Amino acid sequence: MTAPDAGRGIGGGGYNAEETTTFGFPRDSFRILHVSTGNVCRSPITERLTRHFVAERLGVLGGGLIVESAGTWGHEGAPMEANAEAVLAEFGADASGFVGRELLDEHVIMADLVLTATRDHRAQVISMGHSAGLRTFTLKEFTRLVRAIDPATLPGLEYGLVARARALVRAAAALRGWLLAPTAEADEVYDPYGAPLPFFRSIGDEIHQALDPVVTALTGVPARM
């Protein structure tokens, strides 16, 4: 059975299983959805950096991993902001072919992990229903939880990237409520829309630092020094 393709970041091959998810989608894929407001700044940067860093660790974006993004007030069909493209270029990530999307129910239904820029975005996703609560986190919240998970408790990559990713989300959800943010602002990635390039760079660095332990946990491969 082939995973449904929304046309954004399909990685090929890898893990196969006959079991399906609650919503009937195949379990041979794992879909990460990044959410911000307009889907032209923060979530495109996070989407493309996730793809880039996974490909760096594994040599290819594959193993059934799908990485995409949308916005709660998404600029449907809009290009990525030029400063966001510039930040991605500085990381060596590919910004080509990006098109903004408004967040729809189907995106939340199909996502195995939703990572939002802010707590407000997280609340908006959860309010859409679809049992999203246990798989929706702010990016920085998920990073904090992932840091507390012993990687030895996760399935090895010999069991497939999908199996490892699903176990990671379950473990993070189990820790929620035990590892709280030191301040409310600690879980926020602020909106750089309309800001100059230096502020976009600072947001890119924040996202990079938050993504690094997540990608390490997903792939089992640390970043190159």
Side-chain angles (χ1 to χ4, degrees), residues 135-222:
R135 50 196 166 91
T136 302
F137 309 80
T138 72
L139 172 62
K140 289 184 175 180
E141 173 192 19
F142 193 67
T143 301
R144 182 174 65 254
L145 298 173
V146 163
R147 288 184 185 276
I149 296 168
D150 181 354
T153 64
L154 301 174
L157 280 185
E158 65 270 22
Y159 295 101
L161 185 60
V162 170
R164 185 178 179 91
R166 293 189 188 283
L168 182 66
V169 173
R170 287 194 298 270
L175 287 173
R176 182 183 279 166
W178 294 94
L179 295 173
L180 301 178
T183 65
E185 290 72 25
D187 279 345
E188 304 283 290
V189 177
Y190 290 106
D191 192 354
Y193 185 76
L197 182 57
F199 188 69
F200 267 83
R201 286 191 178 119
S202 70
I203 294 300
D205 287 339
E206 275 188 52
I207 291 170
H208 173 212
Q209 291 170 23
L211 279 177
D212 183 69
V214 172
V215 174
T216 296
L218 276 173
T219 64
V221 180

Side-chain angles (χ1 to χ4, degrees), residues 53-200:
F53 295 140
V54 170
E56 273 192 336
R57 311 292 174 90
L58 299 180
V60 64
L61 178 59
L65 184 66
I66 303 166
V67 185
E68 53 192 0
S69 63
T72 55
W73 290 87
H75 298 180
E76 188 73 29
M80 191 185 309
E81 282 288 292
N83 283 343
E85 288 193 9
V87 167
L88 288 172
E90 291 173 0
F91 280 103
D94 181 14
S96 64
F98 182 86
V99 178
R101 304 191 303 177
E102 183 175 356
L103 181 67
L104 302 176
D105 288 270
E106 66 191 65
H107 302 146
V108 176
I109 290 169
M110 295 172 72
D112 298 287
L113 172 62
V114 184
L115 296 176
T116 70
T118 69
R119 293 168 295 146
D120 183 58
H121 296 133
R122 181 185 62 195
Q124 290 181 66
V125 171
I126 293 172
S127 74
M128 294 171 73
H130 315 301
S131 303
L134 290 177
R135 50 196 166 91
T136 302
F137 309 80
T138 72
L139 172 62
K140 289 184 175 180
E141 173 192 19
F142 193 67
T143 301
R144 182 174 65 254
L145 298 173
V146 163
R147 288 184 185 276
I149 296 168
D150 181 354
T153 64
L154 301 174
L157 280 185
E158 65 270 22
Y159 295 101
L161 185 60
V162 170
R164 185 178 179 91
R166 293 189 188 283
L168 182 66
V169 173
R170 287 194 298 270
L175 287 173
R176 182 183 279 166
W178 294 94
L179 295 173
L180 301 178
T183 65
E185 290 72 25
D187 279 345
E188 304 283 290
V189 177
Y190 290 106
D191 192 354
Y193 185 76
L197 182 57
F199 188 69
F200 267 83

Side-chain angles (χ1 to χ4, degrees), residues 32-48:
I32 301 174
L33 176 67
H34 293 293
V35 175
S36 62
T37 303
N39 193 215
V40 291
C41 299
R42 289 168 290 181
S43 52
I45 291 173
T46 316
E47 172 194 320
R48 295 306 175 96

